[in-house]
Each structure stands twice: as C-alpha cells, then as structure tokens.
Amino acid sequence: MLRFVLGDQLNRRVSTLTDLDPERDVVLLVEVEAEATYVRHHKQKIAFLFSAMRHFAAELEEEGVAVDYVRLDARGNTGSFTGELERAVARHRPDRVVVTEPGEWRVWEMMQGWRDDLGVPVEIREDNRFLCSRRDFARWAEGKASLRMETFYRLMRKRTGFLMEDGEPAGGQWNFDHDNRKRLPKGHTVPDRRRFEPDATTREVIALVADRFAGHFGDLDGFAWPVTRREALGALKAFIVNSLPSFGDYQDAMKAGEPFLHHAVISPALNAGLLTPEEVCRAAERAWRDGKAPLNCVEGFVRQILGWREYVRGVYWARMPDYAATNALDATRDLPWFYWSGETKLNCIAQVVGETRAHAYAHHIQRLMVTGNFALLAGLDPAQVEEWYLIVFADAYEWVELPNTHGMVLFADGGVLGSKPYAASGAYIDRMSDYCGACVYDVAKKAGAAACPFNYLYWNFLIENAGRLERNPRLAMPYRTLAKMTEARKAEIAADARRFLDSLSAGPEEGAQSGAQAESET
C-alpha cells in the first residue's frame, strides 16, 4: 500500500497512517514546485514546510517505516502532486493509494482525478486532526443563510467538554471577550518568543529556498520556526507558561517593534499537523484548572482554536467553490504596492507589512484591523487581497485564509460569516496601539491632507455602501451619525477619500510612483 502524506499533514496519527504496516507499506512525501508557486508563498513558509517534511520523514524512518521522499531538486521531479504520485505508483506498484482529505479545494479536485487516472484504487480518508468533521459541520450549517460562530462555538464546548462544569460554561458565561480588549500599558514587559535555531536540515532547506525562490516575498534571516513535533510542543509549553496568563487581556493590543506580544505563534505548527487542536485546548484548560492562568485568558484562547479555527474550516468546505467568487460590496480597486513594499506614510501599515516580511507572521488584530481594515475601507478587490494573505503568512492555507479574509475582513460574502463589516476609523488603531504617535498623519484630524486617511475612508465607506449596509442593525449608530452630517461635510469626505485613493500605485513598474511617493505629493 502507498500512503501519500501531504506537507500540511505531518502528524503520526493522521488518518493516512493510523493502520500503517511498516512491513508492507510505503509512505510518500514530495516537495514540488507547483505547491510552492501556485501563489508565490513567503520564503519562510516554504522553508518551514520543507524542513518539517524532511524531519517528519526522518522520524518515520527511525521507526523502521519505508519512506519514499522526493526532494525539490531530485532528478526527474515533475513538480506536481499528480506527477510524483504517478511516478511513485510506477515505482512501487501498490494495490492501492491511501491519502487524507486535503485542506484546499483545488487539491480536493486534484484527488478526484487520481481516482480516475492512477490505475489503482485511491482511498481518501477523513482528516481526523480536527474536532468537527466536514460532515458534522455541514449538518449544522444546512438551511442556514448566515453561520454564526458563537452558536457553533457553544455547541463545540458542549460536545468536547472544554471549559465546562456540570453542563454549564465555566465562570457562568460562554464568552469573556469584553475583558480582552486592553491596550498594552506603558512599560509592560513582553515575554521573549521561544526561538528554534535551524539545524543542518533546516539550513540546507533555507539555502535551497533562497536559491530557487529568490523572487518570492519575505526574508529568510532570523528563521526560527519549530520544525519538529518536539519543538512544536516546546513552543506550546513556552506559550502556556510565559504568555497565556496575559494573552486574553492584551490579545487585541499592538505595539511597534513587538510582532508577537503574548500571542502563541503556534499556528504554523498547528496547521501543518505538528500539534493538534485537542492537545492545544487541553493544555490551556489545564493551566486554568491548575490556577496558572485566568479564565478570561484561557477562554479567549480556546475560542480561537475550538471556535474560530474549526468554524472557518467548516464554512470553507460547506460553501466552496462558489464562496470564493462572491463580491457583495463590488470592491474592485487594485491592491496598492505598499502591501508588498511597506513604503507608506501610514505607520500602522508600514509596521505590519515590515514585520510580516521579516517573520511571515502578524497577529489577528494586525491582520483584521490594520491591513484588513484598510483593504475594506479602500474597496480593494477581494481576490487580490486574498492572494496577498495567502502568500505572506506561514500559517496560511486556503481553508483558513479564505473565510477569514473573504468573510471576516472584507465582508465579500455579504454576511454569511460575519454579522457586520469590521470597519473602523483611525481612533480604533490609536486606542489599541502606539502606531499613531509616530505617524505623519494626525489621527485626531478628520479632514484634509494631514488627517489620518482611516478617518475619512471610514465615513466614505459607509456613504458608498449605504444601500447595502444602512439597514444592518449593528451599524445603526454610525449611520445615525452620518445622517446628521451636512451635505458639504459628506462632499468633503468624498473628496479626501478620492484624492488619497487616486494617489495609490498598484505596482512598481518603471516610471510609476510607489504608493509612498504618490502620497508624499498629496
């Protein structure tokens, strides 16, 4: 039997390997060009996955498992999953191929072709690394026009028993989100991130990526991701001990030069299979029950894993492939070049893009309320924004990236996932960060070239989308405020927004201005 393990399924208990017979079976892992370039992934993501794959293969071999590992630079590598699977079938002549269902629709469609074309039976097994199966989520979602995460989260709490006591939520309430919105105090000490120095295998991969993917976004300097299960467990333990006790309080905070704060930074390992959601939630719950972390912090973290992560995967599989094509707000503006260069006078965006380039990481508020908020307010084309999010983060796979970006960030699904657009003016960024103090724009000003663009872009967004959004009950207050504005003030808002947005450049073509250059002339 040939057991094909994909690069984001690096778990010994993944369904592909549950009944592995080392005496008879061969495990196949492949590094292929197509998976590194279907979008131009951040260099660190490619290096992380290839290194994790090589370490996982070595661990299997230490068990005595026969592993067929195809490196990117191996002679004859066809560059695709299908091509390498065909070659492996020809080499090993198995009686069947076993694989776990993938995380992305395009690979799911690919697998259907394997069933028809390989000449041997192909068994596609359910992905047992999640706490809610695709089938169970589809049953829950059936007939619902909108899919609310909070309802799903409570169902999962009851089903799993996490943070439950005698059938009721611990602490007497399901959600402690109102306690988790604090700005980082001045002088607050941020714990050091647990770093993992690259070993010989990782250094070899980094050199390969630097050579083969030199034109991709991102830096390789400072690569420090956990690439083995042992390292991933170490990263989880360091988070539970050092950061979880303050995670909830400051999970929405942002600080210049501090990309990680109290966040776990385990999502790349979790999404690649080096950790499981059950063990992550169990470790967090144990910290609360042992009195080592407060309930609001633990609940906020568990909600991200047990609630949000499982939920967005369910939405993805329940609504694809049509979900990706929706554009409820008819947003069409090209992605500004500063999303790649970081060259912008908007200090918040410059900070987040710079940190993303350096680390292939930004935490959820940076993604939602800085780069995402700007994309929403500026009416950026959903497909371009979604491609950017898929490219730049080490934890990004379409099953998790698309619903987050398409539904939560851009409201492009019209409310399937979120009950309102997460639009905000500069005041929100100022309240939750120290970005605005070092910005050339004045967050206190509402109009004119010196004003923070988020301020007038926010009101312009509400004006332009009034026909679609003004009846949304969660936007009643800002629309009441808008109704009190004079026509002259609305015209001023529109003029400021047009001036700023027209100044943005979508590319670095020779002779074209960068976004920062264009802004400097406004």
Side-chain angles (χ1 to χ4, degrees):
M1 187 184 305
L2 183 64
R3 299 175 181 269
F4 186 19
V5 176
L6 305 186
D8 60 348
Q9 298 175 348
L10 307 179
N11 190 287
R12 184 60 180 83
R13 296 182 180 179
V14 72
S15 58
T16 303
L17 304 178
T18 50
D19 54 352
L20 174 68
D21 182 351
E23 300 296 323
R24 299 178 63 250
D25 300 339
V26 174
V27 176
L28 175 69
L29 292 101
V30 300
E31 300 169 4
V32 292
E33 184 90 10
E35 294 306 304
T37 58
Y38 72 90
V39 297
R40 295 166 64 84
H41 295 289
H42 195 295
K43 295 188 190 79
Q44 285 196 33
K45 180 181 180 181
I46 302 172
F48 162 70
L49 283 174
F50 285 0
S51 178
M53 290 168 64
R54 293 185 185 190
H55 283 92
F56 184 70
E59 291 167 2
L60 290 176
E61 288 175 335
E62 288 176 3
E63 279 187 49
V65 176
V67 177
D68 184 353
Y69 194 96
V70 181
R71 295 192 175 202
L72 186 74
D73 52 3
R75 184 176 180 180
N77 189 328
T78 62
S80 72
F81 279 161
T82 299
E84 287 313 295
L85 188 53
E86 288 173 343
R87 289 208 307 153
V89 167
R91 282 194 298 272
H92 302 290
R93 300 195 177 281
D95 57 3
R96 62 181 167 134
V97 171
V98 175
V99 66
T100 294
E101 62 189 8
E104 300 193 344
W105 183 267
R106 63 182 183 82
V107 183
W108 175 253
E109 290 186 313
M110 202 183 299
M111 284 185 179
Q112 309 316 304
W114 299 346
R115 284 177 157 167
D116 297 332
D117 301 334
L118 284 180
V120 295
V122 176
E123 179 185 351
I124 304 175
R125 295 182 175 178
E126 180 177 282
D127 193 339
N128 59 348
R129 297 172 301 155
F130 290 86
L131 293 166
C132 182
S133 70
R134 287 165 46 177
R135 184 182 303 106
D136 285 349
F137 189 93
R139 289 196 193 102
W140 174 78
E142 187 175 5
K144 294 181 173 69
S146 59
L147 306 173
R148 294 292 169 256
M149 193 280 286
E150 185 66 24
T151 305
F152 172 77
Y153 170 55
R154 295 183 184 188
L155 174 67
M156 291 300 293
R157 288 271 295 275
K158 293 175 183 177
R159 179 184 294 179
T160 62
F162 284 125
L163 300 180
M164 298 294 290
E165 294 181 321
D166 298 324
E168 297 296 324
Q173 60 191 68
W174 294 101
N175 188 314
F176 289 82
D177 195 43
H178 66 277
D179 296 328
N180 296 345
R181 299 171 181 170
K182 296 176 183 176
R183 180 187 175 116
L184 208 66
K186 288 184 179 180
H188 180 82
T189 301
V190 176
D192 291 334
R193 176 195 176 197
R194 175 77 186 274
R195 294 179 56 85
F196 299 90
E197 292 300 323
D199 63 6
T201 297
T202 302
R203 291 195 299 271
E204 183 180 18
V205 168
I206 288 172
L208 174 69
V209 172
D211 177 54
R212 292 286 292 268
F213 306 104
H216 283 220
F217 178 81
D219 301 330
L220 284 164
D221 296 339
F223 182 100
W225 294 109
V227 294
T228 66
R229 174 157 171 77
R230 181 177 180 179
E231 289 181 345
L233 288 169
L236 173 61
K237 181 179 179 180
F239 165 69
I240 296 295
V241 172
N242 299 327
S243 294
L244 180 60
S246 295
F247 167 78
D249 290 352
Y250 307 120
Q251 69 175 6
D252 287 1
M254 299 175 282
K255 181 176 176 60
E258 294 287 355
F260 309 120
L261 297 178
H262 291 280
H263 292 269
V265 202
I266 60 170
S267 50
L270 183 59
N271 290 352
L274 300 179
L275 297 171
T276 68
E278 182 176 9
E279 69 188 341
V280 169
C281 290
R282 196 169 303 284
E285 181 183 45
R286 189 181 307 118
W288 167 65
R289 294 195 183 278
D290 291 346
K292 296 178 180 178
L295 182 57
N296 72 296
C297 295
V298 173
E299 187 280 319
F301 179 71
V302 168
R303 181 162 18 101
Q304 288 194 3
I305 306 298
L306 178 64
W308 191 253
R309 183 174 182 269
E310 297 283 329
Y311 166 76
V312 295
R313 176 181 182 256
V315 171
Y316 177 81
W317 285 106
R319 296 296 175 123
M320 284 295 281
D322 296 337
Y323 185 78
T326 55
N327 188 356
L329 301 181
D330 293 327
T332 59
R333 189 177 300 277
D334 287 333
L335 188 79
W337 181 246
F338 60 59
Y339 273 76
W340 304 108
S341 69
E343 297 170 349
T344 172
K345 294 193 296 181
L346 287 159
N347 187 48
C348 56
I349 291 181
Q351 289 286 332
V352 174
V353 171
E355 291 172 0
T356 299
R357 182 191 298 110
H359 305 293
Y361 176 83
H363 68 69
H364 68 278
I365 292 299
Q366 292 175 312
R367 300 187 198 198
L368 176 63
M369 300 309 299
V370 178
T371 51
N373 187 28
F374 183 89
L376 174 68
L377 300 183
L380 303 188
D381 174 61
Q384 295 183 40
V385 179
E386 288 148 21
E387 182 180 54
W388 184 81
Y389 275 84
L390 188 57
I391 286 172
V392 301
F393 298 121
D395 58 6
Y397 301 87
E398 194 180 63
W399 67 264
V400 65
E401 176 277 324
L402 182 63
N404 269 295
T405 310
H406 197 76
M408 183 76 166
V409 171
L410 300 176
F411 204 69
D413 64 4
V416 170
L417 187 147
S419 59
K420 75 174 185 70
Y422 277 82
S425 69
Y428 176 87
I429 297 171
D430 187 38
R431 184 168 67 252
M432 298 309 302
S433 78
D434 62 356
Y435 295 154
C436 298
C439 188
V440 299
Y441 294 114
D442 189 342
V443 72
K445 291 186 176 180
K446 310 302 181 186
C452 172
F454 280 90
N455 290 339
Y456 49 75
L457 289 178
Y458 171 76
W459 290 109
N460 186 68
F461 170 80
L462 293 177
I463 291 168
E464 289 191 341
N465 290 285
R468 302 178 180 94
L469 301 176
E470 63 185 350
R471 292 181 180 83
N472 186 314
R474 295 194 64 191
L475 294 175
M477 184 177 294
Y479 272 109
R480 282 197 295 270
T481 301
L482 184 64
K484 297 175 184 177
M485 291 184 185
T486 66
E487 292 304 313
R489 175 65 183 123
K490 293 177 185 177
E492 182 182 38
I493 289 167
D496 280 340
R498 183 168 57 253
R499 169 187 50 78
F500 178 81
L501 294 172
D502 287 350
S503 75
L504 302 179
S505 169
E509 299 89 348
E510 185 176 352
Q513 296 172 311
S514 71
Q517 290 171 326
E519 287 176 47
S520 69
E521 297 180 3
T522 62

